Amino acid sequence: MLFRSKADGVGLTETIGQLLRKQRVALRDPADFQRGVEVNSRAIDETQFRLYELDELRTSLSNPDPMIQEILTSAPASLSEADRKALEKAAREILETKLQLVDQLSRNLTNYCDTLLDVVMNERKLIDLINAYAEYIDERVLWIRSSRPLAVSQMYSGKPLHWLVDRNNWKQVGAALASDARSNPLGPIGLLMLIPIFWYTRQRFHSEIGKLGVEAHRSNYTRFLPTSRAFVLTLSTSALAGGIVWYCAWRLATAAYDVDFPSAVSDGLFAATLLFIPLDLVRRSCRSDGLAAAHFGWSQDVVRTLASNARWLMIVGLPITFVTELLHSSDPDQYRNALERMLMVVGLVSIVVFHFRVLRPRSQLMRQVLPHGHDEWVTRLQRAWRAFGVSAPLFLALLIVTGYDYTARQFIWRLYLTVTALLACYFTRALLMRWILIHRRLMGIQQVKERRVTELRSTVSSDASVQAAVHAEPEEKIDLATLSAQDRKSTRLNSSHITI
């Protein structure tokens, strides 16, 4: 609260912005306290249940005579009268002592329950306070300049490049991995075994996807399971490749602790993996017999265009993403910050080129994504998509150059989440379209069979001929475009409205 009053009094200067960003990073995750609330809430429930049990026990101990009588009844009959009185006295003393202990335990558990309630209430207040302060920072820090505009003199400094290729820094990475291998030898062994297994299964998956694609090309193919299987195999191949890098980054982050360079390398690997998986999924889906061409009905020109552009974007974007996140996660100085921002600008320009080449209005790709390409409103929407795809990265690059790189990073992360969600929605839509097409094919084949049976019954009197015609597979091809036109139009139109 004291810092908030200072920030409100001084104003949103660059110094205040730096302090706000540091405090935003230093804020504890509210989820940690939320887990504490859940644990303590369960402990409160268990304590209250235990108090109920103790209350029942205390009720029985408050009247010890029945219990003493039961003890005397179970005693041997040979006991003398004096021994029976001594047994009765000892039992009464034990029960009274037990009652006192139960009362003390009940008081302690009550105090413990009250303390837990106070802790839960304080944790909830702390969660609200953290969220409120984080919201306060986010509302103010986004449009505060985080660094000075890029200067020409910073672009020619070789200090960050020397830091990147410094042998001692990479020795720290090797030492961290070696330390992790010594403390957890099963991890590296499993990784070394997983890499050849992945390479083998990758080839098998590619072969299987190709076979499924050849079968799906047939006009009378009436099974949806191969399409879902091809999707799972394609997604698994990309996820496994990214998972290996993710595992290495995780082990390096665990072993590095707070060592600057290894921790930054692990963050760079994490960031590169997040970019790799969706791009690789698109690239693998656009193989000649992959999901897009064989199952979703994309033309070979569209598939080749998207695959080639996704490939070069991966070649350019993955190293840039790794290095920029490495520089961002390390201890900052003005030269590393300048190199990081220059690389971010290069990455955003590459995205501009990708969007300019792919999002051409009236192209086959845009017609696949947005049907009814001859409608004027769809054409305008395609042009708006291309304009947004080109102008948004340029705007972010301008923010980075002028010193608003923190703001640009926040926008880039949210745009990444948006694009990933749109990609998931499109694959869901494509699978739904395929399922509708398969069912329309089944309906069409059944209608053809029924029509041929009716025709044969009217012209042929032989039961054997009719029975043979019923079981014969129709040779004529079905006009799938006519059968599924209405369903495809409705589904695509709804998908377009959702996308808009």
Side-chain angles (χ1 to χ4, degrees):
M1 299 298 294
L2 180 61
F3 184 81
R4 288 184 59 173
S5 61
K6 289 183 178 180
D8 294 337
V10 174
L12 301 179
T13 62
E14 293 187 20
T15 304
I16 294 297
Q18 293 287 349
L19 293 175
L20 286 175
R21 278 186 285 272
K22 287 182 179 180
Q23 292 199 356
R24 184 66 174 88
V25 173
L27 281 179
R28 291 284 301 275
D29 188 358
D32 296 337
F33 296 103
Q34 184 61 40
R35 286 189 289 268
V37 169
E38 295 173 357
V39 172
N40 292 329
S41 298
R42 288 194 295 267
I44 290 173
D45 295 338
E46 295 173 359
T47 304
Q48 289 178 342
F49 180 75
R50 182 60 176 160
L51 285 172
Y52 294 148
E53 292 180 339
L54 291 177
D55 187 62
E56 294 178 357
L57 179 59
R58 190 186 184 286
T59 301
S60 63
L61 291 174
S62 62
N63 185 19
D65 292 336
M67 301 178 65
I68 294 174
Q69 188 63 36
E70 183 179 354
I71 293 173
L72 294 176
T73 303
S74 61
S78 59
L79 285 177
S80 63
E81 186 65 22
D83 292 338
R84 295 181 68 86
K85 289 183 179 180
L87 177 61
E88 180 182 357
K89 182 180 179 181
R92 190 176 297 276
E93 291 177 353
I94 291 173
L95 291 176
E96 289 177 354
T97 303
K98 186 175 182 179
L99 178 60
Q100 294 175 359
L101 293 175
V102 168
D103 289 339
Q104 183 178 357
L105 180 58
S106 297
R107 288 193 296 271
N108 292 337
L109 287 179
T110 301
N111 293 333
Y112 176 64
C113 187
D114 293 339
T115 302
L116 286 178
L117 284 173
D118 292 338
V119 171
V120 169
M121 294 299 296
N122 290 331
E123 285 179 331
R124 293 186 184 276
K125 291 179 181 177
L126 187 57
I127 291 173
D128 295 337
L129 185 62
I130 291 175
N131 290 330
Y133 192 52
E135 184 178 356
Y136 170 84
I137 295 175
D138 293 338
E139 289 176 353
R140 286 158 178 79
V141 77
L142 195 62
W143 297 109
I144 301 177
R145 194 189 302 273
S146 55
S147 55
R148 296 180 179 179
L150 277 175
V152 178
S153 59
Q154 295 175 333
M155 300 181 184
Y156 296 101
S157 176
K159 291 182 179 180
L161 294 177
H162 290 307
W163 179 80
L164 283 174
V165 299
D166 189 0
R167 183 181 302 177
N168 293 327
N169 288 335
W170 291 102
K171 282 183 178 180
Q172 292 178 357
V173 176
L177 291 175
S179 174
D180 181 70
R182 286 191 298 267
S183 60
N184 184 24
L186 294 180
I189 294 175
L191 181 62
L192 292 176
M193 295 177 61
L194 182 62
I195 291 176
I197 293 175
F198 164 73
W199 188 261
Y200 174 74
T201 55
R202 173 176 169 272
Q203 301 298 328
R204 291 287 303 272
F205 285 0
H206 286 175
S207 176
E208 184 68 19
I209 292 171
K211 293 178 182 179
L212 294 173
V214 172
E215 294 179 0
H217 268 304
R218 289 161 35 198
S219 60
N220 60 347
Y221 200 68
T222 58
R223 296 179 60 197
F224 179 73
L225 182 61
T227 298
S228 59
R229 185 178 179 184
F231 173 73
V232 171
L233 292 177
T234 304
L235 180 62
S236 300
T237 305
S238 300
L240 285 175
I244 293 176
V245 182
W246 187 278
Y247 177 79
C248 295
W250 171 57
R251 296 313 308 167
L252 181 59
T254 303
Y257 299 107
D258 293 329
V259 182
D260 180 40
F261 192 80
S263 299
V265 170
S266 66
D267 291 339
L269 291 175
F270 280 130
T273 304
L274 290 176
L275 179 63
F276 169 81
I277 292 178
L279 284 179
D280 191 65
L281 177 62
V282 172
R283 183 182 66 85
R284 294 183 186 277
S285 299
C286 292
R287 294 170 63 92
S288 58
D289 290 322
L291 278 172
H295 300 269
F296 298 161
W298 287 27
S299 65
Q300 290 295 333
D301 292 338
V302 173
V303 167
R304 283 193 296 267
T305 299
L306 191 56
S308 61
N309 283 280
R311 187 180 298 109
W312 74 256
L313 185 61
M314 290 177 64
I315 295 173
V316 175
L318 291 177
I320 291 177
T321 302
F322 170 75
V323 176
T324 53
E325 190 62 28
L326 189 155
L327 293 168
H328 179 74
S329 301
S330 62
D331 291 336
D333 60 33
Q334 60 174 341
Y335 297 107
R336 293 181 199 173
N337 178 263
L339 179 60
E340 172 198 347
R341 292 159 63 190
M342 286 188 288
L343 290 176
M344 289 179 65
V345 170
V346 174
L348 291 170
V349 170
S350 65
I351 294 176
V352 169
V353 176
F354 176 82
H355 287 165
F356 186 81
R357 297 180 62 179
V358 171
L359 302 178
R360 296 194 304 271
R362 298 185 180 275
S363 64
Q364 292 294 328
L365 175 62
M366 296 301 293
R367 291 178 181 178
Q368 294 288 346
V369 177
L370 289 175
H372 316 293
H374 296 292
D375 295 346
E376 185 61 27
W377 72 271
V378 175
T379 303
R380 290 197 296 267
L381 180 60
Q382 292 175 0
R383 292 172 180 169
W385 272 30
R386 193 186 198 191
F388 177 78
V390 171
S391 60
L394 288 178
F395 173 71
L396 295 176
L398 180 62
L399 289 178
I400 293 171
V401 171
T402 54
Y404 293 91
D405 43 293
Y406 176 85
T407 305
R409 275 187 165 274
Q410 300 303 313
F411 279 120
I412 288 172
W413 173 244
R414 283 159 178 77
L415 285 174
Y416 169 81
L417 295 178
T418 302
V419 172
T420 304
L422 289 176
L423 186 63
C425 291
Y426 180 78
F427 273 103
T428 303
R429 170 212 181 239
L431 291 172
L432 178 62
M433 289 290 300
R434 180 67 178 176
W435 180 80
I436 292 175
L437 181 61
I438 291 297
H439 279 265
R440 294 289 296 177
R441 284 180 178 176
L442 289 172
M443 293 174 58
I445 290 175
Q446 185 63 30
Q447 292 174 1
V448 170
K449 285 184 178 181
E450 293 176 355
R451 185 168 62 251
R452 293 193 63 186
V453 168
T454 302
E455 293 175 354
L456 288 173
R457 281 177 177 174
S458 62
T459 56
V460 181
S461 58
S462 174
D463 293 339
S465 300
V466 173
Q467 187 67 20
V470 169
H471 292 285
E473 188 72 21
E475 297 180 358
E476 61 180 291
K477 293 185 178 180
I478 303 170
D479 188 357
L480 299 176
T482 303
L483 289 174
S484 59
Q486 294 180 349
D487 296 291
R488 291 163 65 182
K489 179 179 179 180
S490 176
T491 306
R492 286 180 174 176
L493 190 58
N494 292 333
S495 302
S496 301
H497 290 165
I498 292 173
T499 303
I500 297 172

